[in-house]
mmCIF file of all heavy atoms in Angstrom:
data_model
loop_
_atom_site.group_PDB
_atom_site.id
_atom_site.type_symbol
_atom_site.label_atom_id
_atom_site.label_comp_id
_atom_site.label_asym_id
_atom_site.label_seq_id
_atom_site.Cartn_x
_atom_site.Cartn_y
_atom_site.Cartn_z
ATOM 1 N N LEU A 1 87.710 115.818 101.944
ATOM 2 C CA LEU A 1 86.983 115.349 100.785
ATOM 3 C C LEU A 1 86.379 113.957 101.189
ATOM 4 O O LEU A 1 87.075 113.141 101.704
ATOM 5 C CB LEU A 1 87.827 115.075 99.622
ATOM 6 C CG LEU A 1 88.636 116.257 99.121
ATOM 7 C CD1 LEU A 1 90.072 116.214 99.481
ATOM 8 C CD2 LEU A 1 88.516 116.526 97.621
ATOM 9 N N ASP A 2 85.047 113.785 100.817
ATOM 10 C CA ASP A 2 84.459 112.490 101.078
ATOM 11 C C ASP A 2 85.225 111.401 100.006
ATOM 12 O O ASP A 2 85.543 111.857 99.000
ATOM 13 C CB ASP A 2 82.982 112.585 100.665
ATOM 14 C CG ASP A 2 82.183 113.157 101.796
ATOM 15 O OD1 ASP A 2 82.614 113.026 102.965
ATOM 16 O OD2 ASP A 2 81.167 113.671 101.558
ATOM 17 N N LYS A 3 85.221 110.194 100.569
ATOM 18 C CA LYS A 3 85.815 109.250 99.710
ATOM 19 C C LYS A 3 84.985 108.874 98.505
ATOM 20 O O LYS A 3 85.267 109.026 97.377
ATOM 21 C CB LYS A 3 86.057 107.935 100.502
ATOM 22 C CG LYS A 3 86.739 106.859 99.688
ATOM 23 C CD LYS A 3 86.427 105.417 100.339
ATOM 24 C CE LYS A 3 85.022 105.007 99.980
ATOM 25 N NZ LYS A 3 84.622 103.647 100.531
ATOM 26 N N THR A 4 83.676 108.444 98.795
ATOM 27 C CA THR A 4 82.795 108.006 97.850
ATOM 28 C C THR A 4 82.268 109.106 96.911
ATOM 29 O O THR A 4 81.795 110.111 97.314
ATOM 30 C CB THR A 4 81.489 107.320 98.437
ATOM 31 O OG1 THR A 4 82.093 106.263 99.291
ATOM 32 C CG2 THR A 4 80.583 106.622 97.356
ATOM 33 N N GLY A 5 82.563 109.002 95.626
ATOM 34 C CA GLY A 5 82.012 110.025 94.568
ATOM 35 C C GLY A 5 83.041 111.155 94.379
ATOM 36 O O GLY A 5 82.957 111.834 93.402
ATOM 37 N N THR A 6 83.985 111.276 95.280
ATOM 38 C CA THR A 6 85.011 112.291 95.199
ATOM 39 C C THR A 6 86.359 111.729 94.778
ATOM 40 O O THR A 6 86.995 112.067 93.746
ATOM 41 C CB THR A 6 85.198 113.168 96.429
ATOM 42 O OG1 THR A 6 83.774 113.656 96.809
ATOM 43 C CG2 THR A 6 86.087 114.374 96.315
ATOM 44 N N ILE A 7 86.760 110.892 95.648
ATOM 45 C CA ILE A 7 88.063 110.172 95.452
ATOM 46 C C ILE A 7 87.831 108.870 94.582
ATOM 47 O O ILE A 7 88.672 108.535 93.733
ATOM 48 C CB ILE A 7 88.835 109.945 96.811
ATOM 49 C CG1 ILE A 7 89.210 111.277 97.410
ATOM 50 C CG2 ILE A 7 90.008 109.084 96.562
ATOM 51 C CD1 ILE A 7 89.755 111.129 98.813
ATOM 52 N N THR A 8 86.800 108.171 94.930
ATOM 53 C CA THR A 8 86.482 106.929 94.222
ATOM 54 C C THR A 8 85.316 107.135 93.285
ATOM 55 O O THR A 8 84.616 108.204 93.453
ATOM 56 C CB THR A 8 86.185 105.834 95.181
ATOM 57 O OG1 THR A 8 85.042 106.054 95.932
ATOM 58 C CG2 THR A 8 87.366 105.551 96.119
ATOM 59 N N VAL A 9 85.124 106.236 92.405
ATOM 60 C CA VAL A 9 84.079 106.377 91.458
ATOM 61 C C VAL A 9 82.622 106.306 92.076
ATOM 62 O O VAL A 9 81.628 106.572 91.424
ATOM 63 C CB VAL A 9 84.144 105.396 90.197
ATOM 64 C CG1 VAL A 9 85.482 105.702 89.511
ATOM 65 C CG2 VAL A 9 84.156 104.032 90.683
ATOM 66 N N GLY A 10 82.591 105.753 93.263
ATOM 67 C CA GLY A 10 81.259 105.795 93.952
ATOM 68 C C GLY A 10 80.739 104.337 94.124
ATOM 69 O O GLY A 10 79.986 104.147 95.130
ATOM 70 N N ASN A 11 80.998 103.362 93.411
ATOM 71 C CA ASN A 11 80.705 101.963 93.571
ATOM 72 C C ASN A 11 81.872 101.103 93.524
ATOM 73 O O ASN A 11 82.788 101.261 92.554
ATOM 74 C CB ASN A 11 79.604 101.611 92.603
ATOM 75 C CG ASN A 11 78.397 102.410 92.717
ATOM 76 O OD1 ASN A 11 77.573 102.289 93.707
ATOM 77 N ND2 ASN A 11 78.104 103.251 91.702
ATOM 78 N N ARG A 12 81.964 99.954 94.290
ATOM 79 C CA ARG A 12 83.009 98.988 94.241
ATOM 80 C C ARG A 12 82.814 98.207 92.963
ATOM 81 O O ARG A 12 81.664 97.902 92.518
ATOM 82 C CB ARG A 12 83.050 98.140 95.497
ATOM 83 C CG ARG A 12 83.417 99.074 96.648
ATOM 84 C CD ARG A 12 83.637 98.224 97.902
ATOM 85 N NE ARG A 12 84.093 98.987 98.961
ATOM 86 C CZ ARG A 12 84.639 98.588 100.141
ATOM 87 N NH1 ARG A 12 84.807 97.334 100.276
ATOM 88 N NH2 ARG A 12 85.008 99.371 101.021
ATOM 89 N N GLN A 13 83.969 97.860 92.345
ATOM 90 C CA GLN A 13 83.853 97.083 91.053
ATOM 91 C C GLN A 13 84.797 95.870 91.139
ATOM 92 O O GLN A 13 85.827 95.870 91.871
ATOM 93 C CB GLN A 13 84.377 98.048 89.891
ATOM 94 C CG GLN A 13 83.465 99.165 89.667
ATOM 95 C CD GLN A 13 83.818 99.957 88.480
ATOM 96 O OE1 GLN A 13 84.719 99.706 87.760
ATOM 97 N NE2 GLN A 13 83.124 101.128 88.293
ATOM 98 N N ALA A 14 84.476 94.916 90.340
ATOM 99 C CA ALA A 14 85.239 93.726 90.361
ATOM 100 C C ALA A 14 86.572 93.944 89.739
ATOM 101 O O ALA A 14 86.748 94.574 88.656
ATOM 102 C CB ALA A 14 84.593 92.626 89.557
ATOM 103 N N ALA A 15 87.728 93.550 90.422
ATOM 104 C CA ALA A 15 89.077 93.833 89.971
ATOM 105 C C ALA A 15 89.783 92.662 89.529
ATOM 106 O O ALA A 15 90.572 92.574 88.563
ATOM 107 C CB ALA A 15 89.831 94.577 91.082
ATOM 108 N N GLU A 16 89.555 91.375 90.107
ATOM 109 C CA GLU A 16 90.133 90.081 89.616
ATOM 110 C C GLU A 16 89.312 88.988 90.202
ATOM 111 O O GLU A 16 88.545 89.143 91.273
ATOM 112 C CB GLU A 16 91.546 90.116 90.177
ATOM 113 C CG GLU A 16 91.720 90.069 91.695
ATOM 114 C CD GLU A 16 93.173 89.852 92.178
ATOM 115 O OE1 GLU A 16 93.958 89.225 91.407
ATOM 116 O OE2 GLU A 16 93.479 90.372 93.313
ATOM 117 N N PHE A 17 89.584 87.755 89.664
ATOM 118 C CA PHE A 17 89.156 86.640 90.072
ATOM 119 C C PHE A 17 90.342 85.735 90.672
ATOM 120 O O PHE A 17 91.307 85.583 90.082
ATOM 121 C CB PHE A 17 88.391 85.828 88.909
ATOM 122 C CG PHE A 17 87.227 86.432 88.311
ATOM 123 C CD1 PHE A 17 87.247 86.801 86.992
ATOM 124 C CD2 PHE A 17 86.173 86.801 89.022
ATOM 125 C CE1 PHE A 17 86.231 87.529 86.355
ATOM 126 C CE2 PHE A 17 85.047 87.378 88.465
ATOM 127 C CZ PHE A 17 85.083 87.822 87.120
ATOM 128 N N ARG A 18 90.042 85.175 91.917
ATOM 129 C CA ARG A 18 91.004 84.441 92.615
ATOM 130 C C ARG A 18 90.598 83.055 92.819
ATOM 131 O O ARG A 18 89.906 82.771 93.775
ATOM 132 C CB ARG A 18 91.514 85.088 93.910
ATOM 133 C CG ARG A 18 91.901 86.609 93.892
ATOM 134 C CD ARG A 18 93.323 86.585 93.567
ATOM 135 N NE ARG A 18 94.115 85.986 94.597
ATOM 136 C CZ ARG A 18 94.639 86.662 95.718
ATOM 137 N NH1 ARG A 18 94.348 87.889 95.825
ATOM 138 N NH2 ARG A 18 95.369 85.997 96.538
ATOM 139 N N PRO A 19 91.001 82.054 91.930
ATOM 140 C CA PRO A 19 90.544 80.677 92.057
ATOM 141 C C PRO A 19 91.253 80.014 93.212
ATOM 142 O O PRO A 19 92.271 80.432 93.663
ATOM 143 C CB PRO A 19 90.821 80.028 90.691
ATOM 144 C CG PRO A 19 91.953 80.835 90.265
ATOM 145 C CD PRO A 19 91.754 82.283 90.746
ATOM 146 N N VAL A 20 90.575 78.966 93.776
ATOM 147 C CA VAL A 20 91.262 78.207 94.836
ATOM 148 C C VAL A 20 91.244 76.719 94.475
ATOM 149 O O VAL A 20 90.467 76.226 93.608
ATOM 150 C CB VAL A 20 90.499 78.288 96.252
ATOM 151 C CG1 VAL A 20 90.645 79.835 96.685
ATOM 152 C CG2 VAL A 20 89.112 77.967 96.067
ATOM 153 N N GLY A 21 92.069 75.935 95.099
ATOM 154 C CA GLY A 21 92.222 74.489 94.872
ATOM 155 C C GLY A 21 92.700 74.250 93.454
ATOM 156 O O GLY A 21 93.565 74.928 92.918
ATOM 157 N N THR A 22 91.999 73.315 92.746
ATOM 158 C CA THR A 22 92.268 72.909 91.406
ATOM 159 C C THR A 22 91.562 73.748 90.283
ATOM 160 O O THR A 22 91.658 73.417 89.150
ATOM 161 C CB THR A 22 91.962 71.426 91.180
ATOM 162 O OG1 THR A 22 90.624 71.219 91.451
ATOM 163 C CG2 THR A 22 92.844 70.688 92.178
ATOM 164 N N VAL A 23 90.723 74.670 90.723
ATOM 165 C CA VAL A 23 90.001 75.499 89.843
ATOM 166 C C VAL A 23 90.833 76.504 89.156
ATOM 167 O O VAL A 23 91.699 77.063 89.757
ATOM 168 C CB VAL A 23 88.800 76.307 90.559
ATOM 169 C CG1 VAL A 23 87.972 77.103 89.628
ATOM 170 C CG2 VAL A 23 87.892 75.243 91.310
ATOM 171 N N ASP A 24 90.529 76.699 87.740
ATOM 172 C CA ASP A 24 91.340 77.693 87.069
ATOM 173 C C ASP A 24 90.538 78.967 86.909
ATOM 174 O O ASP A 24 89.349 79.010 87.195
ATOM 175 C CB ASP A 24 91.865 77.156 85.720
ATOM 176 C CG ASP A 24 90.742 76.773 84.849
ATOM 177 O OD1 ASP A 24 89.516 77.066 85.048
ATOM 178 O OD2 ASP A 24 91.006 75.975 83.904
ATOM 179 N N VAL A 25 91.144 80.062 86.496
ATOM 180 C CA VAL A 25 90.545 81.375 86.372
ATOM 181 C C VAL A 25 89.310 81.264 85.381
ATOM 182 O O VAL A 25 88.245 81.876 85.778
ATOM 183 C CB VAL A 25 91.514 82.390 85.963
ATOM 184 C CG1 VAL A 25 90.796 83.792 85.760
ATOM 185 C CG2 VAL A 25 92.630 82.526 87.073
ATOM 186 N N PRO A 26 89.431 80.795 84.216
ATOM 187 C CA PRO A 26 88.223 80.779 83.255
ATOM 188 C C PRO A 26 87.041 80.050 83.932
ATOM 189 O O PRO A 26 85.873 80.591 83.673
ATOM 190 C CB PRO A 26 88.783 80.061 82.050
ATOM 191 C CG PRO A 26 90.251 80.293 82.060
ATOM 192 C CD PRO A 26 90.609 80.271 83.494
ATOM 193 N N GLU A 27 87.317 78.998 84.546
ATOM 194 C CA GLU A 27 86.102 78.248 85.250
ATOM 195 C C GLU A 27 85.475 79.168 86.307
ATOM 196 O O GLU A 27 84.303 79.313 86.345
ATOM 197 C CB GLU A 27 86.604 76.979 85.883
ATOM 198 C CG GLU A 27 85.475 76.127 86.477
ATOM 199 C CD GLU A 27 86.056 74.865 87.109
ATOM 200 O OE1 GLU A 27 87.209 74.651 87.006
ATOM 201 O OE2 GLU A 27 85.148 74.163 87.607
ATOM 202 N N LEU A 28 86.255 79.875 87.073
ATOM 203 C CA LEU A 28 85.777 80.804 88.197
ATOM 204 C C LEU A 28 85.044 81.927 87.504
ATOM 205 O O LEU A 28 83.907 82.386 87.881
ATOM 206 C CB LEU A 28 86.815 81.242 89.127
ATOM 207 C CG LEU A 28 86.513 82.316 90.116
ATOM 208 C CD1 LEU A 28 85.365 81.975 90.915
ATOM 209 C CD2 LEU A 28 87.726 82.803 90.812
ATOM 210 N N ALA A 29 85.643 82.525 86.412
ATOM 211 C CA ALA A 29 84.988 83.689 85.730
ATOM 212 C C ALA A 29 83.719 83.364 85.113
ATOM 213 O O ALA A 29 82.768 84.123 85.198
ATOM 214 C CB ALA A 29 86.011 84.256 84.653
ATOM 215 N N ASP A 30 83.618 82.100 84.421
ATOM 216 C CA ASP A 30 82.359 81.648 83.849
ATOM 217 C C ASP A 30 81.251 81.500 84.927
ATOM 218 O O ASP A 30 80.227 82.109 84.702
ATOM 219 C CB ASP A 30 82.523 80.353 83.252
ATOM 220 C CG ASP A 30 81.228 79.759 82.591
ATOM 221 O OD1 ASP A 30 80.883 80.378 81.669
ATOM 222 O OD2 ASP A 30 80.760 78.859 83.099
ATOM 223 N N ALA A 31 81.600 80.899 86.100
ATOM 224 C CA ALA A 31 80.575 80.852 87.192
ATOM 225 C C ALA A 31 80.138 82.090 87.729
ATOM 226 O O ALA A 31 78.938 82.384 87.982
ATOM 227 C CB ALA A 31 81.100 79.813 88.347
ATOM 228 N N ALA A 32 81.152 82.981 87.934
ATOM 229 C CA ALA A 32 80.898 84.310 88.450
ATOM 230 C C ALA A 32 79.945 85.202 87.610
ATOM 231 O O ALA A 32 79.081 85.903 88.008
ATOM 232 C CB ALA A 32 82.154 85.101 88.710
ATOM 233 N N GLN A 33 80.199 85.058 86.307
ATOM 234 C CA GLN A 33 79.452 85.757 85.301
ATOM 235 C C GLN A 33 77.940 85.310 85.329
ATOM 236 O O GLN A 33 77.015 86.055 85.276
ATOM 237 C CB GLN A 33 80.031 85.711 83.864
ATOM 238 C CG GLN A 33 79.307 86.430 82.825
ATOM 239 C CD GLN A 33 79.735 86.064 81.428
ATOM 240 O OE1 GLN A 33 79.676 84.960 81.028
ATOM 241 N NE2 GLN A 33 80.090 87.130 80.637
ATOM 242 N N LEU A 34 77.801 83.964 85.307
ATOM 243 C CA LEU A 34 76.431 83.400 85.304
ATOM 244 C C LEU A 34 75.773 83.833 86.586
ATOM 245 O O LEU A 34 74.510 84.208 86.553
ATOM 246 C CB LEU A 34 76.550 81.878 85.220
ATOM 247 C CG LEU A 34 76.820 81.205 83.909
ATOM 248 C CD1 LEU A 34 77.084 79.720 84.088
ATOM 249 C CD2 LEU A 34 75.645 81.460 82.976
ATOM 250 N N ALA A 35 76.415 83.868 87.706
ATOM 251 C CA ALA A 35 75.718 84.239 88.957
ATOM 252 C C ALA A 35 75.315 85.700 88.970
ATOM 253 O O ALA A 35 74.468 86.012 89.842
ATOM 254 C CB ALA A 35 76.678 83.795 90.113
ATOM 255 N N SER A 36 75.906 86.492 88.110
ATOM 256 C CA SER A 36 75.817 87.906 88.247
ATOM 257 C C SER A 36 74.974 88.510 87.027
ATOM 258 O O SER A 36 74.671 89.710 87.034
ATOM 259 C CB SER A 36 77.169 88.597 88.168
ATOM 260 O OG SER A 36 78.005 88.210 89.223
ATOM 261 N N LEU A 37 74.447 87.698 86.120
ATOM 262 C CA LEU A 37 73.729 88.206 84.925
ATOM 263 C C LEU A 37 72.512 88.927 85.416
ATOM 264 O O LEU A 37 72.094 89.836 84.696
ATOM 265 C CB LEU A 37 73.348 86.967 84.084
ATOM 266 C CG LEU A 37 74.564 86.452 83.246
ATOM 267 C CD1 LEU A 37 74.007 85.148 82.370
ATOM 268 C CD2 LEU A 37 75.258 87.450 82.325
ATOM 269 N N ALA A 38 71.771 88.476 86.392
ATOM 270 C CA ALA A 38 70.560 89.117 86.819
ATOM 271 C C ALA A 38 70.798 90.139 87.924
ATOM 272 O O ALA A 38 69.807 90.732 88.428
ATOM 273 C CB ALA A 38 69.547 88.100 87.261
ATOM 274 N N ASP A 39 72.064 90.355 88.273
ATOM 275 C CA ASP A 39 72.438 91.336 89.379
ATOM 276 C C ASP A 39 72.595 92.635 88.715
ATOM 277 O O ASP A 39 73.594 92.946 88.112
ATOM 278 C CB ASP A 39 73.720 90.820 90.091
ATOM 279 C CG ASP A 39 74.005 91.752 91.289
ATOM 280 O OD1 ASP A 39 73.365 92.809 91.439
ATOM 281 O OD2 ASP A 39 74.929 91.308 92.026
ATOM 282 N N GLU A 40 71.654 93.606 88.939
ATOM 283 C CA GLU A 40 71.648 94.883 88.285
ATOM 284 C C GLU A 40 72.412 95.916 89.082
ATOM 285 O O GLU A 40 72.352 97.147 88.824
ATOM 286 C CB GLU A 40 70.238 95.339 87.992
ATOM 287 C CG GLU A 40 69.526 94.632 86.894
ATOM 288 C CD GLU A 40 70.414 94.738 85.495
ATOM 289 O OE1 GLU A 40 70.920 95.867 85.252
ATOM 290 O OE2 GLU A 40 70.605 93.703 84.888
ATOM 291 N N THR A 41 72.992 95.538 90.185
ATOM 292 C CA THR A 41 73.707 96.477 91.046
ATOM 293 C C THR A 41 75.037 96.771 90.296
ATOM 294 O O THR A 41 75.532 95.994 89.453
ATOM 295 C CB THR A 41 74.182 95.869 92.396
ATOM 296 O OG1 THR A 41 75.060 94.796 92.135
ATOM 297 C CG2 THR A 41 72.936 95.503 93.182
ATOM 298 N N PRO A 42 75.670 97.955 90.501
ATOM 299 C CA PRO A 42 76.963 98.298 89.830
ATOM 300 C C PRO A 42 77.984 97.155 90.101
ATOM 301 O O PRO A 42 78.789 96.867 89.172
ATOM 302 C CB PRO A 42 77.390 99.626 90.548
ATOM 303 C CG PRO A 42 76.072 100.208 91.017
ATOM 304 C CD PRO A 42 75.175 99.058 91.411
ATOM 305 N N GLU A 43 78.008 96.618 91.296
ATOM 306 C CA GLU A 43 79.041 95.550 91.436
ATOM 307 C C GLU A 43 78.782 94.300 90.679
ATOM 308 O O GLU A 43 79.672 93.716 90.078
ATOM 309 C CB GLU A 43 78.966 95.136 93.028
ATOM 310 C CG GLU A 43 79.466 96.298 93.925
ATOM 311 C CD GLU A 43 78.368 97.154 94.408
ATOM 312 O OE1 GLU A 43 77.177 97.100 93.767
ATOM 313 O OE2 GLU A 43 78.573 98.079 95.135
ATOM 314 N N GLY A 44 77.531 93.976 90.540
ATOM 315 C CA GLY A 44 77.116 92.808 89.724
ATOM 316 C C GLY A 44 77.409 93.020 88.300
ATOM 317 O O GLY A 44 77.990 92.038 87.618
ATOM 318 N N ARG A 45 77.139 94.162 87.761
ATOM 319 C CA ARG A 45 77.442 94.445 86.378
ATOM 320 C C ARG A 45 78.905 94.546 86.119
ATOM 321 O O ARG A 45 79.383 94.188 85.083
ATOM 322 C CB ARG A 45 76.882 95.890 85.943
ATOM 323 C CG ARG A 45 75.382 95.810 85.857
ATOM 324 C CD ARG A 45 74.740 97.058 85.133
ATOM 325 N NE ARG A 45 75.110 98.298 85.847
ATOM 326 C CZ ARG A 45 74.332 98.771 86.820
ATOM 327 N NH1 ARG A 45 73.179 98.261 87.045
ATOM 328 N NH2 ARG A 45 74.697 99.963 87.359
ATOM 329 N N SER A 46 79.723 94.924 87.120
ATOM 330 C CA SER A 46 81.202 94.931 86.940
ATOM 331 C C SER A 46 81.771 93.571 86.906
ATOM 332 O O SER A 46 82.753 93.276 86.222
ATOM 333 C CB SER A 46 81.793 95.743 88.066
ATOM 334 O OG SER A 46 81.807 95.015 89.319
ATOM 335 N N VAL A 47 81.185 92.535 87.673
ATOM 336 C CA VAL A 47 81.563 91.169 87.518
ATOM 337 C C VAL A 47 81.500 90.685 86.059
ATOM 338 O O VAL A 47 82.300 89.987 85.524
ATOM 339 C CB VAL A 47 80.897 90.357 88.562
ATOM 340 C CG1 VAL A 47 81.184 88.803 88.358
ATOM 341 C CG2 VAL A 47 81.198 90.754 89.935
#
């Protein structure tokens, strides 16, 4: 069986946000969302 479309849904999707340093998760999520608003790829929409 092919992986893509058979075992997986076909496109990679955002699963979690991993902040670094003194940044917290909401701050990272807010920036990631802003950067992805115009990204019409399945990955961008999943972010």
Side-chain angles (χ1 to χ4, degrees):
L1 304 106
D2 280 334
K3 181 204 74 175
T4 305
T6 304
I7 294 173
T8 64
V9 295
N11 296 294
R12 296 190 173 191
Q13 297 183 2
E16 65 174 330
F17 298 118
R18 300 280 297 274
V20 295
T22 60
V23 178
D24 58 18
V25 175
E27 184 180 358
L28 172 59
D30 178 71
Q33 184 191 53
L34 283 172
S36 304
L37 286 178
D39 185 350
E40 287 302 316
T41 65
E43 293 85 356
R45 290 195 297 269
S46 74
V47 172

